[in-house]
Amino acid sequence: MSPTATRPLDALFRPQAIVATILVGEALAILLALAPARIADRLVLFGLVSLAVQWVSLGTLALLYLLRAPLTRLPTARQAWAAFGIFLAMSALVSWGGILLVEVADPLAEARPAFLLRWTGIAVVVGLLGLLAYQNYWRARQLAVRAKQLELEALQARIRPHFLFNTLNTGAALVHAHPDEAERVLLDLADLFRTALRGPQEIPLTEELALARRYLDIEALRLGPRLVVRWQQPPELPDIEVPALSIQPLVENAVRHGIEPRRGGGTLDLHVRIVGDAIEVVVENDLPDAAPPASGHAIGLASSRRRVDALTNGSGRVESGLEQGRYVARVVVPIAERGGPAQATTR
C-alpha cells in the first residue's frame, strides 16, 4: 500500500492540496471583504483579511508538517481532531498578533472583544467544514485503495492458470528423462507460487530478482542451449522493496514470446542499474522469426504494469517497446520511496 494510504496527513502536503488551500483562503477573504465592516475601502479590507487567512492556513500546514512524525502515530480520527485544534490555535495566534501589531483607532479598539468573537466563530465554522472534507476524502481514499486491491487480486486469479500451465509443461517434459532436474523444477515452481499466493504486496528487490532467476533456471532446463541469459547487476543492490511479481512476468514474456519462437533460440539480457535516485531493471530479448499471435501476449506485461502502478502510488513506471532491433521492457522504481503512473506500449 502506498505511503499516502497509510499516512493520511501526507495528502495535505501535496502541491494540489496547498494550491487548493490558498484558493479557498482567497475565496473566504473575498466573502469577508464584502461583508459589512468599519473599513470603507474594500480593497484594503480584502488585503488585510487575505493576509490573515493565508497566515492561518499556511501556518497550520507548516505546523502539521513539522509535527507529522508524532501525529502519524495517532489513530486517523485523532489526527483529524489534532489538525483542527492546531488550526484554531493558529487562528487565535494570528488574531491576537494582528491586534497587538496593528495600530488602530480608539473606536475600533473598543470593538476588539467582538472582533475576536467573530474571528473565532468563523475559524470554528471553517475548521469544521475542513474537518468534514478531510474525513470524506479519507473514506474515499480507503475505498479506492480497497478497490485497487480487489482489482489486483482479480488479475492474479487470471494470471495463475497461465503461469502454472507454462511451468508445469516444463516439469512434465523432464520427468522421465531427467527426474532430478524435474524435482528442481517443482521446487522452483513452489517458491514462485509461494510468492504469487501472498497477494499484492511489496518484497525486497533481491527476492524479486531471485524469483526471476528461478524462472530462468526452469526455462534453461527446457530450452537448453537455445536460451542464452546474460545477467548484469551491481555488486550491492539498494535495500528497497518492489511489487511482488513485477519483474518475473517480464522475463517470462521475453522467453515465451521472444526466444522460444525463434528456430535457433536467442539471447535474453537482464540489466539492473542504479540511475540517479531510481533502480532500473531492463529485460531485453531477441525478436521472434515471425510476429507472434496478438492474443494473450499482454497478460504478463499488464500484470507488471498494474502492480507497479497500484503499489508504488505513481512513483514508478513500466515501459516496453522496440529498441535497436530488440524488444525491451523496463521497470523503474525510485530508491527514496517505497513504492506508482505506468505508461507503456503493450505486447
Side-chain angles (χ1 to χ4, degrees), residues 7 18 31 91 214 247 254-255 268 297 300 309 320:
R7 298 195 300 268
I18 296 175
L31 291 176
S91 299
R214 290 189 181 94
I247 298 172
V255 173
L268 185 151
H297 288 185
D309 180 52
S320 66

Side-chain angles (χ1 to χ4, degrees), residues 63-238:
L63 281 177
L64 288 174
Y65 184 80
L66 294 175
L67 298 174
R68 67 190 185 282
L71 287 176
T72 51
R73 291 194 286 268
L74 298 175
T76 302
R78 291 188 179 180
Q79 290 183 36
W81 285 108
F84 178 67
I86 291 174
F87 174 76
L88 292 182
M90 182 59 65
S91 299
L93 181 63
V94 170
S95 61
W96 276 106
I99 289 176
L100 294 176
L101 296 178
V102 177
E103 183 178 357
V104 294
D106 290 340
L108 187 58
E110 295 175 358
R112 288 178 184 177
F115 167 76
L116 290 175
L117 183 61
R118 286 196 301 271
W119 182 265
T120 303
I122 293 171
V124 170
V125 171
V126 172
L128 289 175
L129 290 175
L131 184 62
L132 180 61
Y134 175 86
Q135 290 176 336
N136 288 336
Y137 164 82
W138 177 241
R139 291 193 190 97
R141 177 69 183 176
Q142 291 296 91
L143 291 175
V145 169
R146 180 56 183 159
K148 183 60 70 174
Q149 289 174 339
L150 292 175
E151 182 182 354
L152 287 175
E153 289 169 5
L155 182 64
Q156 274 192 310
R158 179 187 174 195
I159 257 185
R160 287 172 191 163
H162 166 267
F163 178 65
L164 180 62
F165 175 79
N166 288 340
T167 310
L168 285 182
N169 275 346
T170 300
L174 295 171
V175 167
H176 297 294
H178 305 282
D180 292 340
E181 293 179 352
E183 179 183 4
R184 174 182 163 191
V185 166
L186 292 177
L187 291 175
D188 287 341
L189 178 62
D191 288 338
L192 288 166
F193 262 80
R194 186 177 298 112
T195 299
L197 290 170
R198 290 176 187 171
Q201 63 167 351
E202 293 177 342
I203 64 175
L205 173 63
T206 53
E207 185 175 337
E208 177 65 19
L209 292 174
L211 291 175
R213 269 189 198 275
R214 290 189 181 94
Y215 175 79
L216 287 173
D217 289 342
I218 291 173
E219 293 293 48
L221 290 174
R222 184 172 67 91
L223 298 176
R226 296 183 61 233
L227 173 62
V228 177
V229 178
R230 297 185 298 200
W231 193 290
Q232 296 182 7
Q233 69 181 63
E236 293 186 7
L237 292 172

